[in-house]
Amino acid sequence: MPDLVNVRRLTTQDDPQAATALLQRFFREEGFDTPDGTIAANLRAMLTMDRCAVLLAEDQGEAVGVATVSMDFGIEYGWSAELGDLYVLPSHRGRGLSRALMIAAEDWLRGMGAVGYQVSVTPHGADADLRRFYLAHGFADEGRALLYKLL
């Protein structure tokens, strides 16, 4: 883990403002049009859920990265999860913070009984070569396509 960086799971006792601001910035950079209020409300809700985690990376007390992970139960794997968001401030990239957030997520998931987790790479992320980043960190392309329907 990078020097002086602390990664911790936020709880309902924590002020989520720093994580919210990081996620709002991430969504803007990725080109999503999710309203800031929706991001803030969903993050607050996620903090109340036992099968979800919001992980915050802090460098000397400054919030510099965030990750969210949500568990799911299915027939194929039992408990597994999705790394929904992973963001590190551009000024702090290249120092291993993404890996530190993934390790914290993996440790939490193992403790929760998950057998694995997945990540979705958006077209913007593919343009930024995130697919190669995740493959280098142990993820495998199973050839599945993710389709989504709004309700």
Side-chain angles (χ1 to χ4, degrees):
M1 187 175 304
D3 292 340
L4 304 175
V5 172
N6 177 50
V7 176
R8 63 186 176 96
R9 181 178 181 222
L10 297 182
T11 71
T12 56
Q13 304 304 309
D14 293 305
D15 179 355
Q17 186 168 349
T20 300
L22 288 169
L23 287 166
Q24 289 166 341
R25 181 172 173 169
F26 173 53
F27 273 60
R28 295 295 85 69
E29 289 179 16
E30 286 285 311
F32 291 105
D33 59 4
T34 308
D36 285 351
T38 299
I39 294 168
N42 287 341
L43 181 119
R44 282 190 308 273
M46 186 175 258
L47 292 177
T48 69
M49 297 177 195
D50 292 339
R51 297 269 175 200
C52 294
V54 177
L55 303 162
L56 187 67
E58 297 168 308
D59 184 0
Q60 299 182 44
E62 176 191 3
V64 296
V66 64
T68 65
V69 62
S70 303
M71 295 186 67
D72 181 47
F73 192 86
I75 298 299
E76 186 174 5
Y77 296 112
W79 284 112
S80 63
E82 178 181 9
L83 180 67
D85 306 289
L86 176 64
Y87 179 74
V88 172
L89 289 173
S91 60
H92 286 75
R93 292 181 186 159
R95 297 179 42 216
L97 294 171
S98 292
R99 184 70 187 133
L101 284 161
M102 283 191 288
I103 289 169
E106 291 168 6
D107 289 346
W108 180 77
L109 287 167
R110 281 186 197 95
M112 296 296 290
V115 297
Y117 69 117
Q118 66 186 22
V119 64
S120 298
V121 178
T122 65
H124 181 273
D127 291 345
D129 217 10
L130 285 180
R131 183 178 181 281
R132 185 169 60 190
F133 169 82
Y134 285 115
L135 290 172
H137 285 87
F139 287 85
D141 185 347
E142 294 183 325
R144 298 179 191 208
L146 177 67
L147 307 175
Y148 190 78
K149 181 179 179 180
L150 286 174
L151 300 178

